[in-house]
């Protein structure tokens, strides 16, 4: 892998949204982050810290901002096949088979039908779904559908794969299996991966570095290096200690339930 492929540089990034009567709502403020080619970055933070907005800016779905976002030294301007994205919901077309759902991503390619079939087969093999190429999304589990979405996002061979809470809607066992799958795929494909997640365990288990964000407006609090070689074991005490250390960053954002005044509910009628 060339060090010049898939590197990201974010400099002095600010993002705001207009409000009808209150001026500008600041979503991101003074974001500075350099990501090396082939690196796995996890971004964690509480709701409202701008994690998903940052991902939308990186993929090019949002284009209004202040500052600079570059990939391999070029400004990011709109979407590109060089940057793939996987969302929390798989967004597959229910009337298309697995193979044809992956083919959708190739609709602008100059490949022949045979070439398309070959590259689709390669990527279905990568996500271990070759035997299900003719199945429909309704016939597959949630985890399998998400693997189809991953294959579709990789079929154009992007330099960067962006992951927006890709396993958030899955049960714990399926989520663990897909975390192992994405780790295997990342090591095989050797591309840059940037994942947004609320799951600190997941962030520490997968990433080379964890970017910890704080909200209102969203900004980087610190960046934690995960100096544990891949493949990793979940029970590794080094990962557990790093997770607990990161969780301390969110202790002051939690609500102290004991301080809630229970008398505030006296004027309401409940069914229990």
């Amino acid at each position: 892998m060339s060090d010049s492929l898939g590197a990201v540089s974010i400099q002095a990034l600010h993002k705001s949204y207009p409000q009808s009567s209150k001026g500008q709502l600041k979503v991101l403020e003074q974001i500075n982050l350099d990501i090396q080619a082939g690196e796995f970055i996890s971004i964690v933070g509480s709701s409202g810290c701008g994690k998903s907005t940052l991902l939308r800016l990186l993929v090019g779905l949002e284009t209004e901002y202040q500052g600079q976002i570059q990939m391999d030294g070029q400004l990011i301007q709109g979407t590109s096949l060089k940057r793939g994205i996987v969302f929390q919901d798989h967004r597959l077309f229910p009337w298309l088979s697995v193979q044809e759902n992956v083919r959708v991503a190739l609709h602008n390619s100059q490949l022949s039908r045979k070439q398309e079939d070959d590259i689709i087969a390669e990527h279905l093999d990568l996500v271990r779904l070759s035997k299900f190429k003719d199945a429909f999304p309704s016939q597959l589990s949630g985890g399998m559908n998400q693997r189809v979405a991953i294959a579709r996002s990789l079929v154009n061979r992007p330099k960067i794969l962006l992951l927006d809470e890709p396993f958030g809607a899955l049960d714990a066992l399926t989520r663990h299996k897909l975390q192992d799958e994405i780790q295997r795929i990342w090591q095989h494909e050797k591309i840059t991966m940037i994942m947004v997640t609320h799951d600190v365990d997941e962030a520490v288990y997968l990433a080379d570095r964890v970017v910890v964000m704080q909200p209102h407006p969203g900004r980087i609090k610190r960046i934690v290096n995960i100096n544990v070689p891949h493949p990793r074991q979940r029970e590794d005490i080094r990962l557990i200690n790093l997770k607990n250390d990161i969780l301390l960053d969110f202790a002051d954002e939690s609500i102290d339930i004991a301080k809630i005044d229970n008398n505030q509910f006296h004027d309401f009628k409940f069914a229990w």
Side-chain angles (χ1 to χ4, degrees), residues 169-226:
L170 303 174
D171 64 87
L173 289 176
T174 303
R175 188 164 61 246
H176 281 184
K177 288 179 181 178
L178 280 186
Q179 287 167 1
D180 290 337
E181 285 295 294
I182 206 69
Q183 181 176 230
R184 177 184 62 82
I185 291 167
W186 169 61
Q187 291 181 300
H188 181 274
E189 294 294 286
K190 302 186 185 302
I191 64 173
T192 307
M193 289 197 180
I194 305 171
M195 180 179 66
V196 158
T197 179
H198 283 99
D199 188 337
V200 177
D201 272 307
E202 179 174 83
V204 169
Y205 180 62
L206 291 173
D208 294 318
R209 290 188 292 159
V210 176
V211 178
V212 182
M213 295 187 66
Q214 55 189 124
H216 313 305
R219 56 206 184 278
I220 295 175
K221 184 172 186 178
R222 64 170 172 148
I223 299 174
V224 180
N225 293 319
I226 312 297

Side-chain angles (χ1 to χ4, degrees), residues 1-254:
M1 177 190 64
S2 170
D3 290 337
S4 65
L5 300 178
V8 175
S9 178
I10 304 171
Q11 301 298 325
L13 174 63
H14 295 258
K15 172 65 179 176
S16 299
Y17 289 108
Q19 291 183 303
S20 56
S21 60
K22 299 181 180 179
Q24 297 286 314
L25 173 65
K26 291 184 179 180
V27 179
L28 295 169
E29 182 176 73
Q30 197 60 31
I31 303 295
N32 294 284
L33 179 63
D34 289 319
I35 300 171
Q36 297 177 13
E39 193 173 12
F40 198 125
I41 295 292
S42 288
I43 303 172
V44 300
S46 57
S47 296
C49 72
K51 303 185 301 296
S52 292
T53 299
L54 180 56
L55 224 58
R56 288 175 63 84
L57 288 167
L58 286 168
V59 79
L61 292 172
E62 297 269 0
T63 57
E64 297 293 328
Y65 62 90
Q66 293 78 48
Q68 283 194 342
I69 308 175
Q70 295 184 337
M71 187 182 81
D72 297 331
Q74 301 294 318
L75 287 175
I76 290 177
Q77 297 177 323
T79 57
S80 168
L81 295 180
K82 296 178 181 179
R83 300 184 303 279
I85 188 165
V86 179
F87 296 97
Q88 181 172 341
D89 53 328
H90 54 73
R91 304 191 181 189
L92 301 181
F93 296 107
W95 60 88
L96 295 180
S97 68
V98 164
Q99 179 174 253
E100 296 310 308
N101 262 290
V102 177
R103 194 187 305 277
V104 166
L106 296 171
H107 73 282
N108 285 327
S109 75
Q110 302 299 313
L111 302 175
S112 68
R113 185 78 174 188
K114 174 64 166 58
Q115 289 172 321
E116 287 184 2
D117 287 344
D118 289 345
I119 196 170
I120 291 169
E122 177 186 344
H123 284 81
L124 288 180
D125 183 61
L126 179 66
V127 298
R128 301 178 178 177
L129 286 176
S130 296
K131 295 180 180 179
F132 299 91
K133 69 176 185 176
D134 296 320
F136 291 87
S138 62
Q139 298 171 318
L140 304 179
S141 68
M144 293 170 78
N145 278 324
Q146 199 65 331
R147 281 153 63 192
V148 178
I150 292 169
R152 185 174 60 185
S153 69
L154 290 172
V155 75
N156 284 299
R157 302 195 181 281
K159 298 178 182 179
I160 297 173
L161 182 63
L162 303 160
L163 302 141
D164 192 1
E165 292 279 357
F167 314 132
L170 303 174
D171 64 87
L173 289 176
T174 303
R175 188 164 61 246
H176 281 184
K177 288 179 181 178
L178 280 186
Q179 287 167 1
D180 290 337
E181 285 295 294
I182 206 69
Q183 181 176 230
R184 177 184 62 82
I185 291 167
W186 169 61
Q187 291 181 300
H188 181 274
E189 294 294 286
K190 302 186 185 302
I191 64 173
T192 307
M193 289 197 180
I194 305 171
M195 180 179 66
V196 158
T197 179
H198 283 99
D199 188 337
V200 177
D201 272 307
E202 179 174 83
V204 169
Y205 180 62
L206 291 173
D208 294 318
R209 290 188 292 159
V210 176
V211 178
V212 182
M213 295 187 66
Q214 55 189 124
H216 313 305
R219 56 206 184 278
I220 295 175
K221 184 172 186 178
R222 64 170 172 148
I223 299 174
V224 180
N225 293 319
I226 312 297
N227 295 318
V228 179
H230 292 275
R232 294 170 176 168
Q233 301 298 318
R234 297 178 191 277
E235 62 273 16
D236 192 314
I237 190 63
R238 294 169 294 180
L239 297 180
I240 295 171
N241 288 339
L242 285 164
K243 177 200 73 172
N244 291 335
D245 179 56
I246 291 171
L247 285 173
L248 291 175
D249 288 327
F250 304 107
D252 57 349
E253 297 178 13
S254 61

